[in-house]
Amino acid sequence: MSSPPDAAPRTPAPRTPARRRRPDWAGRNYTLLTGAAVVTNLGSHGALIAATFAVMEAGGSSGDIGLVAAARTLPLVLFLLIGGAVADRLPRHRVMVAANALNCLSQAAFALLVLTGDPRLWQMMLLTALCGTGTAFFNPAAEGMLLSTVSGEHSNRAFALFRMAMNGAGIGGAALGGAMIAVLGPGWVLAVDAAAFAVAGLLRAFLDVSHVPDRAPGGGLLADLREGWVEVRTRPWLWSIVLQFSVVVAVVGAAEAVYGPLVARDRLGGAAPWGVALAFFGVGTIAGAVLMMAWKPRRLLLIGTLCVFPLALPSAGLAVPLPVWGLCAVMFVSGAAIEVFGVNWMTTMHQEIPEEKFSRVSAYDWFGSVSMLPLATALAGPAETAFGRTEALWGCASLVVLATALVLLIPDVRHMTRKTKPTTFTQQSAAPSGPATPSSPAAPSSPAGV
């Protein structure tokens, strides 16, 4: 039936625009990177606790715990610089996927060893070292990928949100890992970590790097490393904070990887309370990230460095020792404070370092920060024997305070300011639809990844 001649033509009702589920700057690659980091941290935070308790269940001493922890970090010292140079030469997402595959296989073998037999110390050290090797190649690539994903005007919020998601996963991973160890044993927690690496690697395989320009051929691996070193040594704010964290990461790592589980076993009730305490550190990092979503301090490194002092609190709390609720409180405060530092550090790196050198500079950052960690964890047991656990923990707290006070003497650290002009990169302008495209790291990591 036809309509009357004078009837007004029917026009379609206007469509209601679809509500955006994410901000403009959170593009596909940023979302994949964040999702993969969440999955990885769910597994790794529990696995670090599980590895320690696997050593103890096998009859290991505090010295054995330190050796296994050192086996994890020694490959970082040996391979980080190479990993950074490789990540600035090859597509970063491929380096990340290959590293995730190695981590998956090594953790799966570790889990099988614990679940089916009587693990020997050398076997646990070997498998942990393989996992550390994967991390050495993964960290510079992941950090370079993340730094090149966001534009300057959104960097503070983007880094805060990324770290909030990553650390939020760490809360669940630490608490769940501690509970699973108490009920099922450490082997199953290691198996979950292996599965998490597999899922994260699959997500990172879908990163889109078609817009990234090809890297210009360089003069070789050694030349690339020299270029990265020039970037570091000519920036006093950079090398001084890396030196600071070489001490801070070493002593905090020894306290958390060796002394913390021993205090938990002897005075707090075992793995579950220690997992809860680590989870409160994660809650604190979320609180710090929420703060940094809105706060943009002008003196980036001054504010950040002042927030490193609270990292002495957990070692002091273990030395007392505080009851579980007190330890949870100091872990929360230290977590919130170090997150303020972490976002300010990443923002500083983003605005000061050229994009094509991100991974190499990040590798020097990681290398310096973890260089003393294997030695510190290996010596934690002998230090306990020589001086006593309480005295060793007070020593850890004192070194954090001393190293942080010294770095404030560097003028560039006190005077580094936030740039008001956005930082942009070639690959970002090539992707108008949104941003184109990192440890944690339950054990302390580099300044950018704490």
Side-chain angles (χ1 to χ4, degrees):
M1 181 177 178
S2 61
S3 58
D6 57 349
R10 182 175 299 175
T11 58
R15 292 184 178 181
T16 303
R19 179 179 297 178
R20 293 188 64 88
R21 296 184 178 181
R22 60 192 180 195
D24 291 337
W25 49 265
R28 177 175 179 268
N29 284 356
Y30 178 88
T31 303
L32 285 172
L33 287 170
T34 304
V38 166
V39 172
T40 302
N41 276 266
L42 279 172
S44 63
H45 278 68
L48 286 170
I49 307 172
T52 299
F53 279 87
V55 176
M56 288 194 289
E57 287 189 3
S61 64
S62 61
D64 294 335
I65 296 172
L67 288 174
V68 172
R72 180 186 302 111
T73 53
L74 183 59
L76 287 173
V77 178
L78 295 177
F79 297 116
L80 264 172
L81 297 183
I82 297 174
V86 169
D88 275 340
R89 279 179 165 266
L90 302 179
R92 288 171 178 148
H93 72 300
R94 293 183 181 175
V95 178
M96 295 163 69
V97 172
N100 283 164
L102 178 58
N103 289 142
C104 173
L105 293 174
S106 62
Q107 290 296 79
F110 197 172
L112 187 64
L113 187 70
V114 173
L115 287 171
T116 61
D118 181 20
R120 304 294 179 87
L121 178 62
W122 71 267
Q123 294 171 325
M124 292 186 284
M125 290 179 64
L126 175 62
L127 293 172
T128 303
L130 288 175
C131 192
T133 301
T135 303
F137 283 87
F138 175 84
N139 283 347
E143 197 160 294
M145 196 80 174
L146 179 65
L147 289 173
S148 64
T149 295
V150 297
S151 62
E153 61 179 318
H154 299 301
S155 60
N156 199 84
R157 179 169 296 180
F159 297 147
L161 181 60
F162 176 85
R163 293 171 66 91
M164 181 168 59
M166 181 178 66
N167 292 322
I171 296 172
L176 183 60
M180 287 182 65
I181 293 169
V183 176
L184 301 174
W188 287 107
V189 179
L190 294 167
V192 169
D193 189 36
F197 276 119
V199 173
L202 182 63
L203 289 174
R204 288 166 177 138
F206 286 99
L207 290 168
D208 178 15
V209 294
S210 59
H211 61 281
V212 179
D214 294 334
R215 304 286 181 187
L221 187 64
L222 291 179
D224 288 348
L225 290 175
R226 282 195 297 268
E227 286 185 12
W229 171 242
V230 170
E231 291 293 327
V232 174
R233 70 176 177 81
T234 56
R235 303 173 190 270
W237 62 267
L238 180 54
W239 59 255
S240 63
I241 289 182
V242 170
L243 285 177
Q244 171 204 10
F245 268 78
S246 69
V247 176
V248 171
V249 170
V251 297
V252 174
E256 291 193 0
V258 180
Y259 300 137
L262 293 172
V263 173
R265 182 193 64 185
D266 297 340
R267 304 293 295 272
L268 301 179
W274 180 237
V276 171
L278 292 177
F280 266 83
F281 181 89
V283 174
T285 61
I286 289 183
V290 170
L291 173 63
M292 294 307 295
M293 291 282 286
W295 184 32
K296 296 182 178 181
R298 181 171 176 270
R299 296 290 182 92
L300 286 164
L301 295 183
L302 175 62
I303 296 299
T305 301
L306 290 174
C307 287
V308 180
F309 283 108
L311 274 188
L313 293 176
S315 296
L318 289 168
V320 173
L322 293 176
V324 175
W325 66 265
L327 186 60
C328 289
V330 300
M331 294 291 270
F332 175 87
V333 171
S334 61
I338 202 60
E339 192 65 16
V340 174
F341 171 85
V343 173
N344 283 332
W345 177 257
M346 294 189 77
T347 302
T348 304
M349 293 275 283
H350 184 263
Q351 76 175 24
E352 299 294 327
I353 305 299
E355 187 277 333
E356 68 275 9
K357 299 177 182 178
F358 274 162
S359 291
R360 275 170 286 173
V361 173
S362 174
Y364 278 103
D365 171 14
W366 280 91
F367 175 79
S369 299
V370 303
S371 59
M372 293 176 61
L373 184 56
L375 180 63
T377 51
L379 293 179
E384 179 186 16
T385 302
F387 305 109
R389 188 184 303 166
T390 299
E391 290 75 13
L393 282 165
W394 280 119
C396 291
S398 300
L399 286 172
V400 170
V401 173
L402 178 62
T404 305
L406 288 176
V407 84
L408 288 174
L409 299 177
I410 305 298
D412 284 359
V413 172
R414 301 194 305 272
H415 301 149
M416 176 66 69
T417 57
R418 182 186 303 273
K419 292 182 179 178
T420 56
K421 184 178 180 180
T423 303
T424 57
F425 301 116
T426 303
Q427 63 264 44
Q428 292 165 344
S429 61
S433 60
T437 49
S439 150
S440 43
S445 57
S446 78
V450 169

